[in-house]
Amino acid sequence: MQKACKCGGKMMFRLRTVIYQSNVEIENVPIFSCNSCQKSEVFAEVKPELTSLIGKLGSKPDKRQLLFDEYSEIAHLMMRASDKKLLASSLESIIQERINELLDLLLIAKSLDDEAWIADVRGRLSQLAKNHISVNDFS
Ligand SMILES: [Zn+2]
């Protein structure tokens, strides 16, 4: 997966650690970065989750490390898709498997009457539904 940079170079897809306010390390953020001018930009589909995560951290966050794939279903799927063991399976089957996992979690959360957990799982499912990821995006 790649796109053209303004400098004429190629921007390649990577998962990268983003440092916020020099205190918080956010790992596994999907970005494009240019091989020629080193410019990088966050993958558009994960911007809403990244913005809301940073909003929750506030302007003076404590030193900590976060895994972005725990907040963003897209980042999670990209990690799975880049896992060599899973290269044989198609992206659709990876997404389908993840949706099944989330539906199982939703049943468990409902049986425990855990409202916060139910809302969290519903949010994850809607991230998968709203982004309409196409298989070509990952090649
Ligand atoms: Zn460039």
Side-chain angles (χ1 to χ4, degrees):
M1 182 164 48
Q2 60 188 45
K3 63 185 262 185
C5 179
K6 287 196 180 91
C7 77
K10 273 183 191 165
M11 300 190 91
M12 304 299 291
F13 174 75
R14 334 204 131 88
L15 291 166
R16 211 182 71 177
T17 301
V18 171
I19 315 266
Y20 174 63
Q21 298 285 1
S22 20
N23 254 349
V24 184
E25 286 182 19
I26 308 172
E27 289 182 36
N28 300 326
V29 177
I31 59 147
F32 281 108
S33 80
C34 177
N35 289 334
S36 310
C37 71
Q38 314 305 323
K39 176 179 140 51
S40 55
E41 62 184 56
V42 172
F43 198 61
E45 279 80 356
V46 304
K47 273 187 190 161
E49 280 73 43
L50 188 60
T51 311
S52 98
L53 178 60
I54 283 172
K56 282 180 207 149
L57 292 171
S59 54
K60 297 234 184 288
D62 294 330
K63 205 167 186 63
R64 60 199 286 203
Q65 220 172 16
L66 299 169
L67 295 172
F68 188 58
D69 55 288
E70 288 179 2
Y71 299 88
S72 162
E73 286 301 312
I74 305 296
H76 185 87
L77 287 172
M78 285 173 167
M79 282 193 60
R80 284 199 179 187
S82 60
D83 185 335
K84 288 190 174 56
K85 281 175 293 195
L86 286 168
L87 280 181
S89 50
S90 72
L91 185 69
E92 279 135 294
S93 69
I94 293 171
I95 293 175
Q96 199 50 55
E97 188 191 322
R98 180 60 177 164
I99 289 175
N100 287 341
E101 270 178 27
L102 288 170
L103 290 173
D104 283 349
L105 283 178
L106 188 60
L107 286 178
I108 297 167
K110 278 183 175 168
S111 72
L112 295 172
D113 257 340
D114 187 330
E115 292 295 336
W117 193 10
I118 293 169
D120 178 67
V121 177
R122 285 219 169 106
R124 287 165 190 276
L125 281 164
S126 71
Q127 283 183 38
L128 290 180
K130 79 175 175 225
N131 279 291
H132 307 294
I133 318 167
S134 77
V135 177
N136 294 332
D137 286 348
F138 286 80
S139 59

mmCIF file of all heavy atoms in Angstrom, residues 60 81 104:
data_model
loop_
_atom_site.group_PDB
_atom_site.id
_atom_site.type_symbol
_atom_site.label_atom_id
_atom_site.label_comp_id
_atom_site.label_asym_id
_atom_site.label_seq_id
_atom_site.Cartn_x
_atom_site.Cartn_y
_atom_site.Cartn_z
ATOM 1 N N LYS A 60 -1.344 17.731 29.627
ATOM 2 C CA LYS A 60 -0.206 17.381 30.479
ATOM 3 C C LYS A 60 -0.280 15.917 30.899
ATOM 4 O O LYS A 60 -0.501 15.591 32.064
ATOM 5 C CB LYS A 60 -0.178 18.266 31.738
ATOM 6 C CG LYS A 60 0.014 19.745 31.469
ATOM 7 C CD LYS A 60 1.193 20.292 32.254
ATOM 8 C CE LYS A 60 1.355 21.782 32.077
ATOM 9 N NZ LYS A 60 1.839 22.168 30.754
ATOM 10 N N ALA A 81 -3.105 -8.230 9.658
ATOM 11 C CA ALA A 81 -2.835 -8.467 8.239
ATOM 12 C C ALA A 81 -1.334 -8.528 7.975
ATOM 13 O O ALA A 81 -0.891 -9.193 7.044
ATOM 14 C CB ALA A 81 -3.489 -7.379 7.391
ATOM 15 N N ASP A 104 -18.914 -12.161 20.100
ATOM 16 C CA ASP A 104 -18.811 -13.013 21.291
ATOM 17 C C ASP A 104 -18.634 -12.164 22.546
ATOM 18 O O ASP A 104 -19.267 -12.396 23.568
ATOM 19 C CB ASP A 104 -17.616 -13.970 21.172
ATOM 20 C CG ASP A 104 -17.909 -15.143 20.237
ATOM 21 O OD1 ASP A 104 -19.094 -15.305 19.858
ATOM 22 O OD2 ASP A 104 -16.972 -15.867 19.895
#
